[in-house]
Amino acid sequence: MSARPAGAGDQLVGMFEVILTRRKRFGWRWQVCDQSGKIFADGFERTRPSAKYHGERALFFLLSQAYHLGNRSAAASKD
């Protein structure tokens, strides 16, 4: 599901999720995906709490960079 931010015009905001997958004896795989299944970041950790932390950290970094890139393009279009 997509949401429209206030004042964004016709721009849609995508939804992202962190997926944790048990890898038998070896640990946990984490992935940050969008709603279509495209993987933006992934990794592997020995413990589930560590995989959850790293997946959520990657999601936060992705969202913070998207916010900053959006501000740069908005500032550039005003020139």
Side-chain angles (χ1 to χ4, degrees):
M1 177 171 274
S2 296
R4 287 187 191 272
D10 291 334
Q11 183 180 15
L12 293 176
V13 176
M15 300 295 290
F16 296 95
E17 67 179 325
V18 177
I19 299 172
L20 302 178
T21 308
R22 178 82 166 125
R23 303 305 299 171
K24 295 190 181 185
R25 299 177 297 183
F26 303 111
W28 292 83
R29 178 183 175 103
W30 59 267
Q31 297 175 321
V32 178
C33 303
D34 68 359
Q35 59 205 32
S36 67
K38 181 178 176 185
I39 299 172
F40 285 87
D42 67 339
F44 178 83
E45 303 298 327
R46 288 279 182 196
T47 65
R48 187 180 190 284
S50 181
K52 185 175 186 298
Y53 170 79
H54 285 281
E56 290 176 351
R57 183 177 177 207
L59 175 61
F60 178 80
F61 182 74
L62 175 70
L63 294 174
S64 69
Q65 292 304 306
Y67 175 78
H68 291 298
L69 291 174
N71 283 343
R72 285 188 203 153
S73 65
S77 66
K78 290 180 183 178
D79 291 340

Coordinates of all heavy atoms in Angstrom, one line a residue:
M1 N 0.8 -1.2 0.0 CA 0.0 0.0 0.0 C 0.9 1.2 0.0 O 1.9 1.3 0.6 CB -0.9 0.0 1.2 CG -1.8 1.2 1.3 SD -3.0 1.1 2.6 CE -4.2 0.2 1.7
S2 N 0.5 2.3 -0.7 CA 1.2 3.5 -0.8 C 0.5 4.6 -0.1 O -0.7 4.6 0.0 CB 1.5 3.9 -2.3 OG 2.3 2.9 -2.9
A3 N 1.2 5.6 0.3 CA 0.6 6.7 1.0 C 1.0 8.0 0.3 O 2.1 8.1 -0.2 CB 1.0 6.8 2.5
R4 N 0.2 9.0 0.4 CA 0.6 10.4 -0.2 C 1.0 11.3 1.0 O 0.2 11.5 1.9 CB -0.6 11.0 -0.9 CG -0.9 10.3 -2.2 CD -1.9 11.2 -2.9 NE -2.5 10.5 -4.1 CZ -1.9 10.5 -5.3 NH1 -0.9 11.3 -5.5 NH2 -2.4 9.9 -6.3
P5 N 2.2 11.7 1.0 CA 2.6 12.7 2.0 C 2.0 14.1 1.8 O 1.6 14.4 0.6 CB 4.1 12.8 1.9 CG 4.4 12.3 0.5 CD 3.3 11.4 0.1
A6 N 1.8 14.8 2.8 CA 1.1 16.1 2.7 C 2.0 17.0 1.8 O 3.2 17.1 2.0 CB 0.9 16.8 4.0
G7 N 1.4 17.7 0.8 CA 2.1 18.6 -0.1 C 3.0 18.0 -1.1 O 3.9 18.6 -1.7
A8 N 2.9 16.7 -1.3 CA 3.8 16.0 -2.3 C 3.3 16.0 -3.7 O 3.9 15.4 -4.6 CB 4.1 14.6 -1.8
G9 N 2.1 16.5 -3.9 CA 1.5 16.5 -5.3 C 1.2 15.1 -5.7 O 0.5 14.4 -5.0
D10 N 1.7 14.7 -6.8 CA 1.4 13.3 -7.4 C 2.4 12.3 -7.0 O 2.4 11.2 -7.5 CB 1.2 13.4 -8.9 CG 0.0 14.2 -9.3 OD1 -1.0 14.2 -8.4 OD2 0.0 14.7 -10.4
Q11 N 3.4 12.6 -6.2 CA 4.5 11.7 -5.8 C 4.0 10.7 -4.8 O 3.4 11.0 -3.8 CB 5.7 12.5 -5.3 CG 6.8 11.6 -4.9 CD 8.0 12.4 -4.4 OE1 7.8 13.5 -4.0 NE2 9.1 11.8 -4.3
L12 N 4.2 9.4 -5.1 CA 3.8 8.3 -4.2 C 5.0 7.9 -3.3 O 6.1 7.9 -3.8 CB 3.2 7.1 -4.9 CG 1.9 7.3 -5.7 CD1 1.6 6.1 -6.5 CD2 0.8 7.7 -4.7
V13 N 4.7 7.5 -2.1 CA 5.8 7.0 -1.3 C 5.6 5.5 -1.2 O 4.6 4.9 -1.0 CB 5.6 7.6 0.2 CG1 6.6 7.0 1.1 CG2 5.7 9.1 0.1
G14 N 6.7 4.7 -1.5 CA 6.7 3.3 -1.4 C 6.8 2.7 0.0 O 7.2 3.4 0.9
M15 N 6.4 1.5 0.1 CA 6.5 0.8 1.4 C 7.6 -0.1 1.4 O 7.9 -0.8 0.4 CB 5.2 0.1 1.7 CG 3.9 1.0 1.7 SD 3.9 2.1 3.1 CE 3.7 1.0 4.5
F16 N 8.4 -0.2 2.5 CA 9.5 -1.1 2.6 C 9.3 -2.0 3.8 O 8.5 -1.6 4.7 CB 10.8 -0.3 2.8 CG 11.2 0.6 1.6 CD1 10.8 1.9 1.6 CD2 11.9 0.0 0.6 CE1 11.2 2.7 0.5 CE2 12.2 0.8 -0.5 CZ 11.9 2.2 -0.5
E17 N 9.9 -3.1 3.8 CA 9.9 -4.0 4.9 C 11.2 -4.8 5.1 O 11.9 -4.9 4.2 CB 8.7 -5.0 4.8 CG 8.9 -6.0 3.7 CD 7.7 -7.0 3.6 OE1 7.2 -7.4 4.7 OE2 7.4 -7.4 2.5
V18 N 11.4 -5.2 6.4 CA 12.6 -6.0 6.7 C 12.1 -7.4 6.8 O 11.2 -7.7 7.6 CB 13.3 -5.5 8.0 CG1 14.4 -6.4 8.4 CG2 13.7 -4.1 7.9
I19 N 12.8 -8.3 6.1 CA 12.4 -9.7 6.1 C 13.6 -10.5 6.7 O 14.7 -10.4 6.3 CB 12.1 -10.3 4.7 CG1 11.0 -9.5 4.1 CG2 11.9 -11.8 4.7 CD1 10.8 -9.8 2.6
L20 N 13.2 -11.3 7.7 CA 14.2 -12.2 8.4 C 13.9 -13.6 8.0 O 12.8 -14.1 8.1 CB 14.2 -12.0 9.9 CG 14.4 -10.6 10.5 CD1 14.2 -10.7 12.0 CD2 15.7 -10.1 10.1
T21 N 15.0 -14.3 7.6 CA 14.8 -15.7 7.2 C 15.8 -16.6 7.9 O 17.0 -16.3 7.9 CB 15.1 -15.9 5.6 OG1 14.3 -14.9 5.0 CG2 14.8 -17.3 5.2
R22 N 15.4 -17.7 8.5 CA 16.3 -18.6 9.2 C 17.0 -19.4 8.2 O 16.4 -20.0 7.3 CB 15.4 -19.5 10.1 CG 16.2 -20.6 10.8 CD 16.8 -20.0 12.1 NE 17.3 -21.1 12.9 CZ 18.6 -21.1 13.4 NH1 19.4 -20.2 13.1 NH2 18.9 -22.1 14.1
R23 N 18.3 -19.6 8.4 CA 19.2 -20.3 7.4 C 19.7 -21.5 8.1 O 20.9 -21.6 8.4 CB 20.3 -19.4 6.9 CG 19.9 -18.1 6.3 CD 18.9 -18.3 5.1 NE 19.5 -19.1 4.1 CZ 18.9 -19.5 3.0 NH1 17.6 -19.3 2.9 NH2 19.5 -20.2 2.1
K24 N 18.9 -22.5 8.4 CA 19.2 -23.8 9.1 C 20.2 -23.6 10.2 O 19.9 -22.9 11.2 CB 19.7 -24.8 8.0 CG 18.7 -25.2 7.0 CD 19.2 -26.3 6.2 CE 18.1 -26.6 5.2 NZ 18.4 -27.8 4.4
R25 N 21.4 -24.2 10.2 CA 22.3 -24.1 11.3 C 23.2 -22.8 11.3 O 23.9 -22.5 12.2 CB 23.3 -25.3 11.3 CG 22.6 -26.6 11.4 CD 23.6 -27.7 11.3 NE 24.2 -27.7 10.0 CZ 25.0 -28.6 9.5 NH1 25.4 -29.5 10.3 NH2 25.5 -28.5 8.3
F26 N 23.1 -22.1 10.2 CA 24.1 -21.1 9.9 C 23.7 -19.7 10.5 O 24.6 -18.8 10.5 CB 24.4 -21.0 8.4 CG 24.9 -22.3 7.9 CD1 24.0 -23.0 7.0 CD2 26.1 -22.8 8.2 CE1 24.5 -24.2 6.5 CE2 26.5 -24.0 7.7 CZ 25.7 -24.7 6.9
G27 N 22.5 -19.4 10.8 CA 22.1 -18.1 11.3 C 20.9 -17.5 10.6 O 20.0 -18.3 10.2
W28 N 20.9 -16.2 10.4 CA 19.7 -15.5 9.9 C 20.1 -14.6 8.7 O 21.1 -13.9 8.8 CB 19.1 -14.7 11.0 CG 18.5 -15.5 12.1 CD1 19.1 -16.1 13.1 CD2 17.1 -15.9 12.2 NE1 18.2 -16.8 13.9 CE2 17.0 -16.7 13.3 CE3 16.0 -15.6 11.4 CZ2 15.8 -17.2 13.7 CZ3 14.8 -16.1 11.8 CH2 14.7 -16.9 12.9
R29 N 19.3 -14.5 7.7 CA 19.5 -13.6 6.6 C 18.5 -12.5 6.7 O 17.3 -12.8 7.0 CB 19.3 -14.4 5.3 CG 19.4 -13.5 4.0 CD 19.1 -14.3 2.8 NE 19.2 -13.4 1.6 CZ 20.2 -13.3 0.8 NH1 21.2 -14.1 0.9 NH2 20.1 -12.5 -0.2
W30 N 18.9 -11.3 6.5 CA 17.9 -10.2 6.5 C 17.9 -9.5 5.2 O 18.9 -9.5 4.4 CB 18.3 -9.2 7.6 CG 19.7 -8.5 7.5 CD1 20.8 -9.0 8.2 CD2 20.0 -7.4 6.8 NE1 21.8 -8.2 7.8 CE2 21.4 -7.2 7.0 CE3 19.4 -6.5 6.0 CZ2 22.1 -6.1 6.4 CZ3 20.1 -5.5 5.4 CH2 21.4 -5.3 5.6
Q31 N 16.8 -9.0 4.8 CA 16.6 -8.2 3.5 C 15.7 -7.0 3.7 O 14.7 -7.1 4.5 CB 16.0 -9.1 2.5 CG 16.8 -10.3 2.1 CD 16.1 -11.2 1.1 OE1 14.9 -11.4 1.2 NE2 16.8 -11.8 0.2
V32 N 16.0 -6.0 3.1 CA 15.1 -4.8 3.0 C 14.6 -4.8 1.6 O 15.3 -4.7 0.6 CB 15.9 -3.5 3.3 CG1 14.9 -2.3 3.2 CG2 16.5 -3.5 4.7
C33 N 13.2 -5.0 1.5 CA 12.6 -5.0 0.2 C 11.5 -4.0 0.1 O 10.9 -3.5 1.1 CB 11.9 -6.4 0.0 SG 13.0 -7.8 0.2
D34 N 11.1 -3.7 -1.2 CA 10.0 -2.8 -1.4 C 8.7 -3.7 -1.6 O 8.8 -4.9 -1.6 CB 10.2 -1.8 -2.5 CG 10.3 -2.5 -3.9 OD1 10.2 -3.7 -4.0 OD2 10.5 -1.7 -4.9
Q35 N 7.6 -3.1 -1.9 CA 6.3 -3.8 -2.0 C 6.3 -4.7 -3.3 O 5.5 -5.6 -3.3 CB 5.2 -2.8 -2.0 CG 5.2 -1.8 -3.2 CD 4.5 -0.6 -2.8 OE1 4.4 -0.2 -1.7 NE2 3.9 0.1 -3.9
S36 N 7.2 -4.4 -4.2 CA 7.2 -5.3 -5.4 C 8.2 -6.5 -5.3 O 8.3 -7.4 -6.1 CB 7.6 -4.5 -6.7 OG 8.9 -4.1 -6.6
G37 N 8.9 -6.5 -4.1 CA 9.9 -7.6 -3.9 C 11.3 -7.3 -4.2 O 12.2 -8.1 -4.1
K38 N 11.6 -6.1 -4.8 CA 12.9 -5.7 -5.1 C 13.8 -5.5 -3.9 O 13.4 -4.8 -2.9 CB 12.9 -4.4 -5.9 CG 14.3 -3.9 -6.3 CD 14.2 -2.6 -7.2 CE 15.6 -2.1 -7.5 NZ 15.6 -0.8 -8.2
I39 N 15.0 -6.1 -3.8 CA 15.8 -6.1 -2.7 C 16.7 -4.9 -2.7 O 17.4 -4.7 -3.7 CB 16.7 -7.4 -2.5 CG1 15.8 -8.6 -2.4 CG2 17.7 -7.3 -1.4 CD1 16.5 -9.9 -2.4
F40 N 16.7 -4.0 -1.7 CA 17.6 -2.9 -1.6 C 18.8 -3.1 -0.8 O 19.8 -2.4 -1.0 CB 16.8 -1.7 -1.1 CG 15.8 -1.1 -2.1 CD1 14.5 -1.6 -2.2 CD2 16.2 -0.1 -2.9 CE1 13.6 -1.1 -3.1 CE2 15.3 0.4 -3.8 CZ 14.0 -0.1 -3.9
A41 N 18.7 -4.0 0.2 CA 19.9 -4.3 1.0 C 19.6 -5.7 1.6 O 18.5 -6.1 1.8 CB 20.0 -3.3 2.2
D42 N 20.7 -6.4 1.9 CA 20.6 -7.7 2.5 C 21.9 -8.0 3.2 O 22.9 -7.4 3.0 CB 20.3 -8.8 1.5 CG 21.4 -9.1 0.5 OD1 22.2 -8.2 0.3 OD2 21.4 -10.1 -0.1
G43 N 21.8 -9.0 4.1 CA 23.0 -9.4 4.9 C 22.7 -10.7 5.6 O 21.7 -11.3 5.5
F44 N 23.7 -11.1 6.4 CA 23.7 -12.4 7.1 C 24.2 -12.1 8.5 O 25.3 -11.5 8.7 CB 24.5 -13.4 6.4 CG 24.5 -14.7 7.1 CD1 23.5 -15.6 7.0 CD2 25.6 -15.1 7.9 CE1 23.5 -16.8 7.6 CE2 25.6 -16.3 8.6 CZ 24.5 -17.2 8.4
E45 N 23.6 -12.6 9.5 CA 24.0 -12.5 10.9 C 23.9 -13.9 11.6 O 23.0 -14.7 11.2 CB 23.2 -11.5 11.7 CG 23.3 -10.1 11.0 CD 24.7 -9.5 11.0 OE1 25.5 -9.8 11.9 OE2 25.0 -8.8 10.0
R46 N 24.6 -14.1 12.6 CA 24.5 -15.4 13.4 C 23.3 -15.5 14.3 O 22.7 -16.6 14.4 CB 25.8 -15.5 14.3 CG 27.0 -15.8 13.5 CD 27.0 -17.3 13.2 NE 28.3 -17.6 12.5 CZ 28.4 -18.7 11.9 NH1 27.5 -19.6 11.8 NH2 29.6 -19.0 11.3
T47 N 22.8 -14.4 14.8 CA 21.7 -14.4 15.7 C 20.5 -13.6 15.2 O 20.7 -12.6 14.4 CB 22.0 -13.8 17.1 OG1 22.3 -12.4 17.0 CG2 23.2 -14.6 17.7
R48 N 19.3 -14.0 15.6 CA 18.1 -13.2 15.1 C 18.1 -11.8 15.6 O 17.8 -10.9 14.8 CB 16.8 -14.0 15.5 CG 15.6 -13.4 14.9 CD 14.3 -14.1 15.4 NE 13.2 -13.7 14.6 CZ 12.5 -12.5 14.8 NH1 12.9 -11.7 15.7 NH2 11.5 -12.2 14.0
P49 N 18.4 -11.5 16.9 CA 18.4 -10.1 17.3 C 19.4 -9.3 16.5 O 19.1 -8.1 16.1 CB 18.8 -10.2 18.8 CG 18.4 -11.5 19.2 CD 18.6 -12.4 18.0
S50 N 20.6 -9.8 16.2 CA 21.5 -9.1 15.4 C 21.0 -8.9 13.9 O 21.2 -7.8 13.4 CB 22.9 -9.9 15.3 OG 23.8 -9.2 14.6
A51 N 20.4 -9.9 13.3 CA 19.8 -9.7 12.0 C 18.7 -8.7 12.0 O 18.7 -7.8 11.1 CB 19.3 -11.0 11.5
K52 N 17.9 -8.7 13.0 CA 16.8 -7.7 13.1 C 17.4 -6.3 13.3 O 17.0 -5.4 12.6 CB 15.9 -8.0 14.3 CG 14.7 -7.1 14.5 CD 13.9 -7.6 15.6 CE 12.6 -6.9 15.8 NZ 12.7 -5.5 16.0
Y53 N 18.4 -6.1 14.1 CA 19.1 -4.8 14.3 C 19.7 -4.3 12.9 O 19.4 -3.2 12.5 CB 20.2 -4.9 15.3 CG 21.0 -3.7 15.4 CD1 20.6 -2.6 16.0 CD2 22.3 -3.7 14.8 CE1 21.4 -1.4 16.1 CE2 23.1 -2.5 14.8 CZ 22.6 -1.4 15.5 OH 23.4 -0.3 15.5
H54 N 20.4 -5.2 12.3 CA 21.1 -4.7 11.0 C 20.1 -4.5 9.9 O 20.3 -3.5 9.1 CB 22.1 -5.8 10.6 CG 23.4 -5.7 11.4 ND1 24.3 -4.8 11.2 CD2 23.8 -6.5 12.4 CE1 25.3 -5.0 12.1 NE2 25.0 -6.0 12.9
G55 N 19.0 -5.2 9.8 CA 18.0 -5.0 8.8 C 17.3 -3.7 9.1 O 17.0 -2.9 8.1
E56 N 16.9 -3.4 10.3 CA 16.2 -2.2 10.7 C 17.2 -1.0 10.5 O 16.8 0.1 10.1 CB 15.6 -2.2 12.0 CG 14.5 -3.2 12.1 CD 13.9 -3.4 13.5 OE1 14.5 -2.9 14.5 OE2 12.8 -4.0 13.6
R57 N 18.4 -1.2 10.8 CA 19.4 -0.1 10.6 C 19.6 0.2 9.1 O 19.6 1.4 8.7 CB 20.8 -0.6 11.2 CG 21.9 0.4 11.1 CD 23.1 -0.1 11.7 NE 24.2 0.9 11.5 CZ 25.4 0.6 11.5 NH1 25.8 -0.6 11.6 NH2 26.3 1.6 11.4
A58 N 19.6 -0.8 8.2 CA 19.7 -0.6 6.8 C 18.4 0.1 6.3 O 18.5 1.0 5.4 CB 19.9 -1.9 6.1
L59 N 17.3 -0.2 6.8 CA 16.0 0.4 6.4 C 16.0 1.9 6.8 O 15.7 2.8 6.0 CB 14.8 -0.3 7.1 CG 13.4 0.4 6.9 CD1 13.1 0.4 5.4 CD2 12.4 -0.4 7.7
F60 N 16.5 2.2 8.0 CA 16.6 3.6 8.5 C 17.5 4.4 7.6 O 17.2 5.5 7.2 CB 17.1 3.6 10.0 CG 17.2 5.0 10.5 CD1 16.1 5.7 10.9 CD2 18.5 5.6 10.5 CE1 16.2 7.0 11.4 CE2 18.6 6.9 11.0 CZ 17.5 7.6 11.4
F61 N 18.7 3.8 7.3 CA 19.7 4.5 6.4 C 19.1 4.7 5.0 O 19.2 5.8 4.5 CB 20.9 3.6 6.3 CG 22.0 4.3 5.5 CD1 22.7 5.3 6.0 CD2 22.2 3.8 4.2 CE1 23.7 6.0 5.2 CE2 23.2 4.4 3.4 CZ 23.9 5.5 3.9
L62 N 18.4 3.8 4.5 CA 17.7 3.9 3.2 C 16.7 5.0 3.2 O 16.7 5.9 2.3 CB 17.1 2.6 2.8 CG 16.2 2.6 1.5 CD1 17.1 2.7 0.3 CD2 15.4 1.4 1.4
L63 N 15.9 5.1 4.2 CA 14.9 6.1 4.3 C 15.5 7.5 4.6 O 15.0 8.5 4.0 CB 13.9 5.8 5.4 CG 13.0 4.6 5.2 CD1 12.2 4.3 6.4 CD2 12.1 4.7 4.0
S64 N 16.5 7.6 5.4 CA 17.2 8.9 5.6 C 17.9 9.4 4.4 O 17.8 10.6 4.1 CB 18.2 8.8 6.8 OG 19.3 8.0 6.4
Q65 N 18.5 8.5 3.6 CA 19.1 9.0 2.3 C 18.0 9.4 1.3 O 18.3 10.4 0.6 CB 20.0 7.9 1.8 CG 21.2 7.6 2.6 CD 22.0 8.8 2.8 OE1 22.4 9.5 1.9 NE2 22.3 9.1 4.1
A66 N 16.9 8.7 1.2 CA 15.9 9.1 0.3 C 15.3 10.5 0.7 O 15.0 11.3 -0.2 CB 14.7 8.1 0.3
Y67 N 15.2 10.8 2.0 CA 14.7 12.1 2.4 C 15.7 13.2 2.0 O 15.3 14.2 1.5 CB 14.5 12.1 4.0 CG 14.2 13.4 4.5 CD1 12.9 13.9 4.4 CD2 15.1 14.2 5.1 CE1 12.5 15.1 4.9 CE2 14.8 15.5 5.6 CZ 13.5 15.9 5.5 OH 13.1 17.2 6.0
H68 N 17.0 12.9 2.2 CA 18.0 13.9 1.8 C 18.1 14.1 0.3 O 18.2 15.2 -0.1 CB 19.4 13.5 2.4 CG 19.5 13.6 3.9 ND1 19.3 14.8 4.6 CD2 19.7 12.7 4.8 CE1 19.4 14.6 5.9 NE2 19.6 13.4 6.1
L69 N 18.0 13.0 -0.4 CA 18.0 13.2 -1.9 C 16.8 13.9 -2.4 O 16.9 14.7 -3.3 CB 18.1 11.8 -2.5 CG 19.4 11.0 -2.3 CD1 19.3 9.6 -2.9 CD2 20.5 11.8 -3.0
G70 N 15.6 13.7 -1.8 CA 14.4 14.4 -2.1 C 14.6 15.9 -1.9 O 14.1 16.7 -2.7
N71 N 15.2 16.3 -0.8 CA 15.4 17.7 -0.4 C 16.4 18.3 -1.4 O 16.2 19.5 -1.8 CB 16.0 17.9 1.0 CG 14.9 17.7 2.0 OD1 13.7 17.8 1.7 ND2 15.3 17.5 3.2
R72 N 17.4 17.6 -1.9 CA 18.4 18.1 -2.9 C 17.7 18.4 -4.2 O 17.9 19.4 -4.8 CB 19.5 17.2 -3.1 CG 20.5 17.2 -1.9 CD 21.7 16.4 -2.3 NE 22.3 15.9 -1.0 CZ 23.0 14.9 -0.9 NH1 23.2 14.1 -1.9 NH2 23.6 14.6 0.3
S73 N 16.9 17.4 -4.6 CA 16.2 17.6 -5.9 C 15.2 18.7 -5.9 O 15.0 19.4 -6.8 CB 15.6 16.3 -6.4 OG 14.5 15.9 -5.6
A74 N 14.5 18.9 -4.8 CA 13.5 20.0 -4.6 C 14.3 21.3 -4.6 O 13.8 22.3 -5.2 CB 12.7 19.8 -3.3
A75 N 15.4 21.4 -4.0 CA 16.2 22.6 -4.0 C 16.7 23.0 -5.3 O 16.7 24.1 -5.8 CB 17.3 22.5 -2.9
A76 N 17.1 21.9 -6.1 CA 17.7 22.1 -7.4 C 16.6 22.6 -8.4 O 16.9 23.4 -9.3 CB 18.3 20.9 -7.9
S77 N 15.4 22.1 -8.2 CA 14.3 22.5 -9.1 C 13.8 23.9 -8.9 O 13.2 24.5 -9.8 CB 13.1 21.5 -9.0 OG 12.5 21.6 -7.7
K78 N 14.1 24.5 -7.7 CA 13.7 25.9 -7.4 C 14.7 26.9 -8.1 O 14.3 28.0 -8.2 CB 13.7 26.1 -5.9 CG 12.6 25.4 -5.2 CD 12.6 25.6 -3.7 CE 11.5 24.9 -3.0 NZ 11.5 25.1 -1.6
D79 N 15.9 26.4 -8.4 CA 16.8 27.3 -9.1 C 16.5 27.7 -10.5 O 15.9 27.2 -11.2 CB 18.3 26.7 -9.0 CG 18.8 26.6 -7.6 OD1 18.3 27.4 -6.8 OD2 19.7 25.9 -7.4

